[in-house]
Amino acid sequence: MPFVRVSMIEGKNKDYKGKVAETIYRSLRETFDVPERDKFIVIHEHSKDNFIYDENYLGLKKTDDLIIIQIFANNTRTMEQKQSLFLSITENLYQEVGIGKENLLIGIVGVGKENWSFGNGMAQYV
């Protein structure tokens, strides 16, 4: 059950944000064995003053089109699955949305299964 937070500078239209979310979800399904309907994505928009980044970190040119993606997921995925996910999200967002490959920062936070509740105060994965 991944939970995804997407942060970007405000001003993108609804279609753009929807396409970003759907593209990330498809990549999760293809590389992380995420079941159908397991989609929880929140998009955060920030003013330019509140979205601070280094424009040339690690020699990768960043612009105001930068998107920061945090993925909270069960800590059961292999290194290969994680690398595959990074590549899938990057390639798909580049091809389908036009986001430059250098304008993506993606982080995965591994979560123990006992740390999820999907409602009713229950830890459904325990």
Side-chain angles (χ1 to χ4, degrees), residues 12-71:
K12 301 296 185 186
N13 66 42
K14 179 181 177 181
D15 291 339
Y16 178 91
K17 292 181 280 189
K19 196 161 201 172
V20 166
E22 285 304 314
T23 301
I24 293 169
Y25 174 64
R26 186 167 39 80
S27 290
L28 284 164
R29 298 240 321 119
E30 292 171 356
T31 63
F32 253 38
D33 300 321
V34 171
E36 187 175 346
R37 301 179 56 142
D38 188 350
K39 181 179 4 177
F40 298 91
I41 301 172
V42 177
I43 296 181
H44 301 272
E45 295 183 90
H46 306 273
S47 70
K48 187 169 168 55
D49 291 340
N50 291 319
F51 197 78
I52 301 162
Y53 61 91
D54 186 294
E55 295 176 350
N56 200 30
Y57 184 66
L58 296 177
L60 299 166
K61 182 69 175 148
K62 308 277 187 235
T63 70
D64 285 346
D65 288 327
L66 173 65
I67 293 180
I68 299 173
I69 302 168
Q70 293 176 298
I71 301 167

Side-chain angles (χ1 to χ4, degrees), residues 3 8 24 48 73 79-80 85-86 94 106 108 114:
F3 168 64
M8 63 181 70
I24 293 169
K48 187 169 168 55
M79 184 183 312
E80 291 77 18
L85 178 63
F86 294 148
Y94 174 72
I106 306 168
I108 298 172
E114 70 277 8

